């Protein structure tokens, strides 16, 4: 095999691409991974999951020290925000994790190419980078993991400062006086929370009649109620038609309503699959109406030997979904078997309180005509939640009415993102709500709320 020929070329080093590269190398393949950005890790590590969670954590601590320590009998005076330091911490975490991937590539002998990967057909891929000579490499198989980019709306010009997407909102140089968030999806709620906690007035304009459309309705309603109590303002059924900068102000226009004046705008109306520059046209691969690359159960595209995973294909745009697909895809290449159970992929919104779901929502079960039972248990009836001063929220478990098999769980409350893992594993193992209810959960823990909700499916919660 020539030096520039590989068993597998992976295009994109986000959570989908870098995990697939490492797993393929573990399975004995000679792997190259092409990434156009200087830092590895994709949207998730550079400008997504990791920096947003760093800011969510810091801003939550700030808000907690300022407003909630008194209840524990701790008076804290003179609390001040040092935004530059908060941002520097976030940047340091990103740097540590992205360089960690370079280390993983070295350890697993994944050859890294820096530049834009363009598929040319017959297993050939060019790598181009401004100021450097183009390189030509080839492989028996190619895996596209090119991710996604933030969507915009017509008549909104991102000026890279006052009006922009999540990447700008991860690095505002000062706390906005009034931040308008367009879209009450995951990004809008997470980054809206960050800036609200740090002192901004936050107005969320959402097109639909609920936040996080698609999520279990009971959860969404409870979340909005809590976020409103925290000071965030929501306007539903609002169609934004444009936004512009005038001096140091932004004017947001909406259909049938008055303009909203603010000093920063976060556009968070979804993300689109990223296929630009990939050269799909050279291979005759067509995207679907949402711009996704269509694949079969083994993530193979319409062209033999060319695969795709992660945000660039259909399904929830989540880092762990991309990772599972990356692993399943390369395992199927080598062993003939690789599978992702989409019913067991959790989704978590890292607000305060956190919001987490796995499996089916009540609305989905009703629409499918699946008979189900539900059990709910509130955080306020749990001892540990009281000790934590985290009394908001509930756990809801949905199980099949006849077989008792767990079909879904929806949690709003402290550490919901960690609590949901137990139910995800239960779904993966085909467990019943009785299995969860009969498993011992340490006392006093928040995990006991999951157990009590499982008991409640059968009407026998103990502490309610
Ligand atoms: P990406 O991470 O987008 O990686 C694709 C990579 O491919 C990029 O680095 C890109 O530069 C590179 N690339 C593209 N085309 C080429 C080419 N032709 N040649 C070379 N390189 C190319 N998900 C979660 O699960 N949890 C979270 O908490 C979370 N928080 C988020 C917060 C924000 C603000 C955002 C924006 C997203 C968040 N997400 C979160 C979503 C998550 O980031 C994505 O689902 C995930 O990154 C998708 O992984 P991927 O590997 O498919 O694509
Ligand atoms: P989203 O799809 O979650 O939400 C977009 C929202 O914008 C929707 O509620 C939609 O109704 C609304 N919208 C669309 N057009 C509008 C208009 N003209 N006016 C007003 N509202 C409008 O998208 P997002 O929040 O941008 O996030 C993008 C992706 O990133 C999501 O798919 C999400 O999975 C992923 N992400 C995940 C996490 C996490 O897992 N914690 C965090 C951030 C982002």
């Amino acid at each position: 095999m020539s030096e520039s020929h590989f068993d597998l070329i992976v295009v994109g080093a986000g959570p989908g691409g870098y995990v697939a590269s490492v797993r393929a190398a573990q399975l004995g393949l000679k792997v190259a991974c092409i990434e156009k950005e200087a830092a590895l890790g994709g949207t998730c590590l550079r400008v997504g999951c990791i920096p947003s969670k760093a800011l969510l954590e810091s801003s939550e601590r700030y808000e907690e020290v300022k407003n909630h320590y008194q209840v524990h009998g701790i008076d804290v005076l003179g609390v001040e925000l040092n935004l530059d330091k908060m941002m520097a911490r976030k940047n340091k975490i990103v740097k540590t994790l992205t360089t960690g991937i370079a280390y993983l590539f070295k350890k697993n002998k994944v050859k890294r190419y820096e530049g834009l990967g363009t598929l040319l057909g017959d297993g050939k891929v060019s790598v181009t980078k401004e100021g450097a000579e183009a390189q030509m490499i080839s492989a028996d198989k190619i895996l596209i993991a090119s991710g996604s980019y933030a969507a915009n709306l017509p008549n909104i010009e991102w000026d890279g400062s006052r009006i922009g997407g999540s990447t700008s909102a991860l690095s505002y140089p000062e706390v906005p006086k009034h931040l308008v968030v367009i879209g009450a999806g995951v990004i809008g709620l997470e980054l809206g929370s960050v800036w609200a906690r740090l002192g901004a007035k936050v107005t969320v304009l959402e097109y639909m009649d609920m936040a996080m459309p698609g999520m279990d309705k009971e959860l969404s309603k409870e979340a909005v109620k809590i976020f409103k109590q925290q000071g965030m303002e929501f306007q539903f059924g609002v169609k934004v038609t444009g936004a512009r900068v005038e001096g140091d102000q932004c004017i947001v226009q909406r259909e049938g309503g008055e303009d909203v004046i603010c000093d920063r705008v976060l556009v968070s109306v979804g993300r689109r699959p990223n296929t630009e520059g990939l050269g799909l046209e050279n291979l005759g691969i067509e995207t679907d109406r949402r711009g996704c690359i269509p694949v079969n159960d083994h993530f193979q595209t319409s062209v033999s030997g060319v695969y795709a995973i992660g945000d660039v294909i259909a399904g929830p745009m989540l880092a762990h979904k991309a990772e599972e697909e990356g692993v399943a895809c390369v395992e199927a290449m080598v062993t003939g078997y690789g599978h992702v159970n989409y019913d067991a992929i959790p989704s978590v919104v890292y607000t305060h309180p956190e919001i987490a779901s796995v499996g089916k929502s009540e609305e989905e079960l009703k629409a499918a005509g699946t008979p189900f039972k539900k059990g709910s248990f509130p955080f306020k009836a749990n001892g540990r939640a009281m000790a934590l001063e985290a009394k908001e929220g509930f756990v809801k478990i949905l199980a099949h009415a006849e077989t008792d098999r767990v079909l879904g769980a929806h949690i709003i409350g402290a550490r919901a993102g960690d609590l949901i893992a137990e139910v995800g594993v239960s779904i993966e193992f085909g467990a019943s709500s009785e299995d969860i209810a009969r498993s011992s959960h340490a006392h006093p823990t928040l995990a006991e709320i999951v157990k009590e909700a499982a008991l409640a499916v059968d009407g026998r919660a103990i502490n309610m």
Side-chain angles (χ1 to χ4, degrees):
M1 202 184 280
S2 83
E3 237 181 61
S4 59
H5 186 82
F6 296 86
D7 295 317
L8 174 68
I9 293 174
V10 179
V11 182
Y18 95 74
V19 168
S21 298
V22 169
R23 182 69 190 119
Q26 286 176 344
L27 289 164
L29 300 189
K30 183 183 170 194
V31 185
C33 182
I34 309 172
E35 170 56 59
K36 64 182 167 61
E37 300 290 335
L40 300 170
T43 304
C44 175
L45 272 73
R46 284 187 293 105
V47 289
C49 328
I50 298 303
S52 60
K53 264 80 260 178
L55 290 183
L56 277 156
E57 195 62 43
S58 297
S59 59
E60 189 174 338
R61 303 245 171 142
Y62 171 69
E63 205 267 339
E64 211 177 15
V65 175
K66 243 180 110 179
N67 300 322
H68 301 293
Y69 270 31
Q70 296 90 334
V71 78
H72 292 276
I74 306 169
D75 291 330
V76 189
L77 302 172
V79 180
E80 274 188 38
L81 172 67
N82 184 335
L83 186 63
D84 290 344
K85 211 166 174 180
M86 200 178 272
M87 289 293 171
R89 173 183 175 271
K90 172 209 69 173
N91 295 340
K92 194 172 166 203
I93 294 171
V94 169
K95 180 110 205 252
T96 307
L97 289 175
T98 53
T99 46
I101 297 176
Y103 160 78
L104 287 179
F105 275 7
K106 218 169 163 189
K107 182 182 159 202
N108 289 282
K109 299 192 175 58
V110 173
K111 170 91 175 146
R112 189 251 158 113
Y113 285 87
E114 188 178 332
L116 182 78
T118 305
L119 279 61
L120 303 172
D122 294 329
K124 293 193 189 69
V125 183
S126 68
V127 185
T128 51
K129 190 183 160 203
E130 222 179 270
E133 208 172 302
Q135 300 180 74
M136 194 69 72
I137 58 176
S138 59
D140 297 345
K141 292 186 167 64
I142 295 168
L143 172 55
I144 301 168
S146 53
S148 61
Y149 63 92
N152 194 10
L153 293 171
N155 305 320
I156 298 187
E157 205 170 303
W158 293 14
D159 70 342
S161 167
R162 298 215 166 260
I163 301 183
S166 53
T167 303
S168 313
L170 287 168
S171 294
Y172 291 151
E174 78 272 312
V175 179
K177 285 186 195 65
H178 184 187
L179 170 67
V180 166
V181 174
I182 308 175
V186 195
I187 292 181
L189 295 177
E190 288 188 351
L191 294 180
S193 290
V194 166
W195 293 107
R197 290 167 189 170
L198 297 182
K201 173 181 173 185
V202 174
T203 305
V204 184
L205 306 178
E206 165 60 47
Y207 181 66
M208 306 293 278
D209 61 357
M210 66 184 279
M212 297 168 290
M215 174 174 272
D216 189 277
K217 269 204 171 124
E218 196 181 353
L219 220 56
S220 165
K221 265 193 192 159
E222 181 72 10
V224 170
K225 193 179 95 195
I226 296 172
F227 297 146
K228 279 184 179 168
Q229 285 162 2
Q230 292 173 0
M232 279 165 78
E233 189 187 311
F234 287 84
Q235 295 180 26
F236 293 106
V238 173
K239 187 175 177 191
V240 173
T241 52
R244 62 181 192 278
V245 178
E246 270 182 22
D248 53 7
Q249 285 193 326
C250 311
I251 321 282
V252 181
Q253 295 151 299
R254 57 200 179 149
E255 208 172 77
E258 275 182 22
D259 293 353
V260 186
I261 317 283
C262 57
D263 59 335
R264 292 213 184 254
V265 177
L266 162 59
V267 184
S268 48
V269 293
R271 294 180 63 83
R272 301 268 171 276
N274 182 17
T275 52
E276 208 186 302
L278 272 178
L280 296 184
E281 62 287 355
N282 298 330
L283 282 78
I285 296 176
E286 287 185 7
T287 53
D288 68 17
R289 63 181 173 84
R290 290 156 304 169
C292 301
I293 300 179
V295 291
N296 68 13
D297 283 353
H298 280 169
F299 307 100
Q300 184 163 319
T301 67
S302 56
V303 173
S304 171
V306 180
Y307 301 77
I309 54 153
D311 280 10
V312 79
I313 68 168
M317 289 183 169
L318 297 171
H320 44 287
K321 177 252 191 194
E323 291 177 6
E324 297 302 334
E325 289 178 342
V327 168
C329 177
V330 298
E331 287 186 349
M333 283 178 198
V334 177
T335 68
Y337 185 77
H339 175 68
V340 176
N341 178 2
Y342 290 95
D343 277 336
I345 293 191
S347 66
V348 180
V349 188
Y350 296 84
T351 44
H352 182 83
E354 291 181 353
I355 306 163
S357 283
V358 67
K360 304 285 187 225
S361 66
E362 277 197 57
E363 291 73 32
E364 284 172 325
L365 292 175
K366 279 177 196 156
T370 309
F372 68 93
K373 305 175 281 182
K374 72 172 168 180
S376 291
F377 196 83
F379 275 63
K380 66 177 180 226
N382 172 271
R384 187 66 187 280
M386 276 197 190
L388 286 167
E389 200 61 34
K391 291 175 277 192
E392 286 166 322
F394 58 86
V395 173
K396 175 167 77 174
I397 293 182
L398 307 173
H400 196 282
E402 285 137 28
T403 64
D404 191 37
R405 193 175 174 140
V406 178
L407 301 173
H410 306 278
I411 308 178
I412 179 164
R415 302 289 165 201
D418 296 315
L419 297 178
I420 202 75
E422 170 179 2
V423 191
V425 173
S426 303
I427 292 178
E428 191 68 61
F429 278 44
S432 61
S433 73
E434 186 69 18
D435 289 324
I436 298 178
R438 291 212 173 265
S439 302
S440 176
H441 290 64
H443 176 75
T445 59
L446 298 177
E448 287 172 295
I449 309 172
V450 177
K451 179 186 167 104
E452 289 272 18
L455 282 164
V457 170
D458 189 40
R460 50 180 228 270
I462 300 289
N463 290 291
M464 268 297 279

